[in-house]
Structures are given as C-alpha cells and as structure tokens.
Amino acid sequence: MKSRTPKVLHRIAGRSLLGFALRAGAELDPRRLAVVVRHERDTVAAHAEEELPGVVVVDQDAVPGTGRAVQCALGVLDGLEEAGAALLSGVAASGGGRLEGPVVVTAGDVPLLDSATLQQMLAAHEADGNAVTLLSTRLLDPYGYGRVVRDESGDVVAIVEERDATAEQREIDEINASVYVFDADVLRDALTRVDDANDQGEVYLTDVVALAHGDGKRVRALVVEDEWLVTGVNDRAQLAAIGAELNRRVVAEWMRAGVTVVDPATTWVDVEVRLGRDVTIHPGTQLHGSTTVDDGAEIGPDTTLRDVVVGAEATVVRTHGFSATVGPRATVGPFAYLRQDTVLGEGGKIGTFVETKDAQIGAGSKVPHLSYVGDAEIGEGTNIGAASVFVNYDGVKKHRSKVGNGARTGSDNMFVAPVTVGDGAYTGAGTVLLKDVPPGALAVNSMTQRNIEGWVLRRRPGTPSAEAASKVLGADEDRELSPQARAELARGNHGTAVPRDGDAPSDTTGSSTER
C-alpha cells in the first residue's frame, strides 16, 4: 500500500478491512476467534481488540508465510483449550483439550466476504465429510492468483502460486480465494510437514491442500460466482475499486428498502448508516459513520454528514456536519457547518453560512444567516439576527451564553460570554452584549448616527465617489445644503488645503463643527 497505515487497517465504507473480516467471522458464533498479527503488531492488535473485544491476538514469529501464521494460531488456541480443560477438571491437562472440529481460516484483506458465504462453506464441509474445503472463483484474468488444480473427478489436488506455476497451470482460470475450512487434526498434522521450498521462501498454507490430498483425504472447492466476495486488496487502486463496488451494493440495498437516491453514482453511504423509509438523498451526498436519517427526511445535494442524527421530515441542504442532531421538520443550510454537540430542535432552522458548535437550539428557533453560535443555549421560538456571533473564547477558556424563549435579537449582535438574554427580550442591531438582559427588556448600546457632509469631496478628491457626489450636488439646485457642504462644493478641487485625519472639519465661518 506504500503507507504508514497497515494494509488491513485501510478503510472502505467506514470500516477497516480487518473489521470486515472480524465481523464476518464473529457472525459464525465460533468457539474462539483469533487474529494473527506481525507487521505493525501493536497497532493492528489494538484495532482488532477495539473492533471485537475478547478477540484472541496471536503473534506470528519471524518465519514468514500464511502456513506459519496458522500454525502459530493453532498453538495458541490449543493452549487455551488445554487451559480450559484443566480449569474444568481441576487437574493439569496432559495432551488433552486440543482444538477439535472445523477450523475456518480467512484473510484480513477480503472485505466483501460475508458470514453467509462462510456458513455455506461450513455446511458443504460437514455434508461432504471433507478434510479441507476451500473457496474459489473463476476470473477472465487470473494473473497473480494461486491456481486451483483438480483431478479427473473434480476433487482439488493442489493450489499452485503464480510464481511457482507451470505454463500449463497458469492457463487455469479457477483461483484460490485464501478462505478455508480445515479439519483441525488434518491441519495440525499437515503443518508439521510444510516447508519453505518455494520461490518466495515462505511457509504456504496452500501446501496443506496437496498434503491432505496425498494422504487420501477429501479436498473440495466451493466455487463462488460473485468474484467480488473473494476479491482481495493489495494496493490503493484495488482498495478504491472494491470500495466503489461495496458502496454500489449498499446504496442499492437502501433503494430496495424504500429510500430514494437520485444519483447513486455520486452518493456514498457507510455500512453503519441507517436510513428510514421515504428518505430522499440528492446528488453529491456522503453519509458516514453512525449517521441516522429518519423517515421522510431530505438530504443534499452536496452534503456530508458524519455521526449525525437527522429527524423525520427534516431537510439538510449543502451542509457539512459531524456529531450533531437535527430535529424533526427542522431545516439546515445551504452552506451550513454543524460541529460537534450541535442540537437543533423540532422545526428549528440553521440557515445560510451559519456555523454552530456545542449549541443547543430549541424547537422553532432560527439562526437564519451569516452567524456563529458556539457554546450556547437558545430557547424555543427565538430568532437570532443575521451576522451575529457568540463570542465564547477569552483566549484561555470557553464560556457559555444563553438566550431564552421567544427572544428577538437584532442583526450584527455580539454575545460576549458568559451572558444571558432573558425570555421575550429584544436587542437592537449592532449591539454588543456585555451584561445580562432581563426578560422583556430591549438592549441597545449603539451610538447615534451623525453625518459629516462634504467629507468625500474634501477627503477623497478626484475619486469616482467624489465625482458622483459632485454631479448630484451641482445638479440639484433646489437641494437644501448645509453651509459646510455648499462651501465644499464651491471650493471643489482647486487646491484648497485639506485637513489631516483627526482634524475637525470647518464651516465657511471658520468656527469648528462637531464631527
């Protein structure tokens, strides 16, 4: 994979390759489930235990090859069986308590292999009395895969790896999927006789097939028609291809369950996502993690949600969100950003160019435009004016603000946390809220507007703005102008001294005028 990440930890559809293998195995309800680790041992082992608590982690030693991996696993599992037998009997076990019965071996890089296929293998293994049962499929281009060699009766004689195959064997189109069911005793005995006399110098598990056949044991293959079920991943191109195929299947399954997907080719849905009936998903939508969308909700276009809960009949348009909750019949977007712990109540609204974080917004409340709401609690039926900011960070700590029920806050408000706006309160446009507002009160702190006439003509001479103003003032003879404006118009741009920034403008009498 040419990656710092171990191959089996690369992800598709929200789950690692190893995660798919572990879940498929666990669904068989096995007596023991083991994962063999070697490369990046600690990272892979920690992930395996996180995916499936209680999984047996087996370390492979320095001897390379799949045969050695299984041999190491058998040694550990036999030890566990022995220890269990000793515990039950209360005496030291001697040679008893070894693993018995069928042993299923799968690969960690075959993510579409499901438990139903494994169960079918087990059933065929037991019904036919096989010593070894393996999965195979047929490919138009089998290059790179081990070939399944059969005798005249159709029984499997051997599996030959590409590097070790003859020209005739390379013409075989049936390939080994690296998924097996072994009789434990047959597997244990054969592994003691397997060596590394091959092109790669590895202990091949596939050699067990030829040894079992040579011992007169029955070896058969279950041919899988759907080659994707047994397709492995060896590079990022294959990872993308199998990820796309898995997504196609997931999306198709949801459509058959009553979800409308307008454009399946641009819709991506992780395997843990849950969708209700009559959900509509528009093009360019990605639903990741544990996202849940309830009945009748509409998502997209161009929306990415991760671990988000969307209530029934809600609408989320052109939005990026993670770890958030959108209530029933609420609306979000377009161009909204829902960060962690955002909770929008029933019928609420988060509108255009709004970002929220750790914000609880009550039922029917609206944050319609151009605002940031962070570390805040907004009651029910409240409207937050456009271009408002909840100023939650003092440079060291985050602080919370609260706006009550039925409040109406003006545009361009700054809520400097911690601050509380009471139920039914109003705030004026441009207000900076530094202290609490009582219920029903109006909070304002903006200054009275003052106009400095003639400022553009005096301070920006020769600019397009000055020219535009001069035309209007000169053309409108009936316009009532202040003495200062008339003086500026009369002087125009004829070399009159211009006051510096900070100087008070002067009127025609030379007395100072308040700015």
Side-chain angles (χ1 to χ4, degrees):
M1 303 295 280
K2 295 181 173 61
S3 173
R4 289 187 297 270
T5 301
K7 180 175 75 169
V8 295
L9 300 194
H10 281 263
R11 306 177 76 86
I12 57 173
R15 186 182 294 167
S16 69
L17 302 182
L18 178 59
F20 282 101
L22 287 172
R23 289 176 186 242
E27 288 173 4
L28 297 178
D29 193 23
R31 178 173 174 80
R32 307 277 188 189
L33 196 154
V35 56
V36 183
V37 294
R38 187 181 182 196
H39 176 63
E40 295 287 350
R41 185 261 180 219
D42 292 343
T43 302
V44 177
H47 181 77
E49 290 167 344
E50 181 181 354
E51 283 283 326
L52 190 65
V55 66
V56 179
V57 176
V58 175
D59 289 290
Q60 184 176 353
D61 55 24
V63 179
T66 52
R68 183 57 180 171
V70 173
Q71 195 171 32
C72 290
L74 272 181
V76 171
L77 295 174
D78 280 344
L80 291 173
E81 293 296 313
E82 248 185 89
L87 185 63
L88 289 173
S89 64
V91 297
S94 177
R98 296 195 307 177
L99 198 67
E100 295 179 352
V103 177
V104 178
V105 178
T106 71
D109 61 356
V110 186
L112 266 59
L113 178 64
D114 56 12
S115 59
T117 303
L118 293 177
Q119 191 63 61
Q120 186 180 358
M121 270 188 77
L122 272 170
H125 180 82
E126 295 177 356
D128 294 344
N130 297 341
V132 181
T133 306
L134 58 99
L135 273 186
S136 69
T137 193
R138 299 185 185 278
L139 301 178
L140 292 176
D141 180 12
Y143 177 78
Y145 292 93
R147 307 304 202 277
V148 177
V149 181
R150 295 176 179 263
D151 61 17
E152 296 80 4
S153 66
D155 285 352
V156 177
V157 174
I159 297 170
V160 182
E161 298 298 327
E162 173 81 27
R163 293 186 179 185
D164 304 310
T166 64
E168 183 181 359
Q169 289 170 335
R170 288 174 183 166
E171 295 298 318
I172 298 172
D173 66 352
E174 185 180 4
I175 61 99
N176 174 40
S178 300
V179 180
Y180 312 87
V181 181
F182 296 102
D183 177 81
D185 289 333
V186 171
L187 177 62
R188 189 180 292 108
D189 174 68
L191 285 173
T192 63
R193 295 181 279 154
V194 173
D195 58 33
D196 60 359
N198 52 65
D199 185 65
Q200 298 191 70
E202 296 184 2
V203 178
Y204 288 156
L205 181 60
T206 51
D207 288 348
V208 171
V209 171
L211 289 171
H213 176 77
D215 292 340
K217 308 291 185 182
R218 177 172 290 175
V219 181
R220 292 187 173 176
L222 178 66
V223 181
V224 178
E225 293 185 4
D226 182 357
E227 66 183 66
W228 286 106
L229 290 178
V230 294
T231 298
V233 174
N234 288 309
D235 57 39
R236 298 191 196 227
Q238 292 174 334
L239 182 73
I242 200 167
E245 174 60 21
L246 175 58
N247 183 73
R248 186 192 67 77
R249 295 179 183 217
V250 170
V251 171
E253 184 178 346
W254 281 117
M255 288 192 289
R256 285 191 289 267
V259 173
T260 294
V261 180
V262 177
D263 184 13
T266 62
T267 300
W268 291 80
V269 181
D270 282 358
V271 291
E272 298 294 339
V273 170
R274 293 294 174 263
L275 305 175
R277 185 174 296 180
D278 292 322
V279 165
T280 299
I281 302 177
H282 292 282
T285 294
Q286 302 173 48
L287 303 178
H288 297 304
S290 59
T291 293
T292 299
V293 183
D294 288 341
D295 293 354
E298 194 166 350
I299 311 296
D302 306 323
T303 294
T304 299
L305 304 179
R306 181 179 298 279
D307 303 327
V308 173
V309 175
V310 179
E313 300 179 20
T315 302
V316 182
V317 180
R318 287 192 169 89
T319 292
H320 189 103
F322 65 95
S323 301
T325 300
V326 177
R329 290 169 292 285
T331 61
V332 178
F335 309 113
Y337 182 23
L338 310 183
R339 294 168 61 189
Q340 72 274 10
D341 300 320
T342 291
V343 179
L344 177 61
E346 181 175 357
K349 178 177 181 177
I350 293 174
T352 308
F353 299 113
V354 174
E355 177 180 346
T356 60
K357 189 270 297 181
D358 193 6
Q360 290 75 54
I361 302 170
S365 288
K366 301 177 181 179
V367 187
H369 332 275
L370 302 162
S371 298
Y372 171 70
V373 182
D375 297 284
E377 180 181 340
I378 298 172
E380 298 182 358
T382 287
N383 189 86
I384 303 298
S388 293
V389 175
F390 283 71
V391 186
N392 57 339
Y393 185 48
D394 64 7
V396 179
K397 295 181 179 180
K398 298 287 184 72
H399 302 276
R400 294 189 66 80
S401 293
K402 181 177 181 179
V403 180
N405 300 322
R408 298 290 183 269
T409 68
S411 296
D412 197 27
N413 276 197
M414 301 290 115
F415 298 83
V416 182
V419 68
T420 298
V421 177
D423 291 354
Y426 273 58
T427 65
T431 300
V432 178
L433 294 152
L434 299 169
K435 58 183 180 180
D436 293 350
V437 181
L442 169 65
V444 293
N445 61 12
S446 59
M447 298 178 65
T448 302
Q449 178 176 325
R450 288 169 292 178
N451 299 330
I452 303 174
E453 296 193 49
W455 184 92
V456 174
L457 296 175
R458 185 177 70 256
R459 304 303 298 278
R460 299 291 184 268
T463 65
S465 297
E467 292 177 6
S470 180
K471 289 178 181 179
V472 173
L473 293 173
D476 189 0
E477 296 178 355
D478 297 328
R479 181 181 175 87
E480 293 186 3
L481 302 176
S482 67
Q484 176 185 336
R486 290 187 182 280
E488 296 295 341
L489 182 61
R491 286 202 300 268
N493 299 328
H494 303 296
T496 304
V498 178
R500 297 169 298 169
D501 287 341
D503 290 346
S506 299
D507 62 14
T508 55
T509 64
S511 60
S512 62
T513 303
E514 180 184 21
R515 291 188 296 165

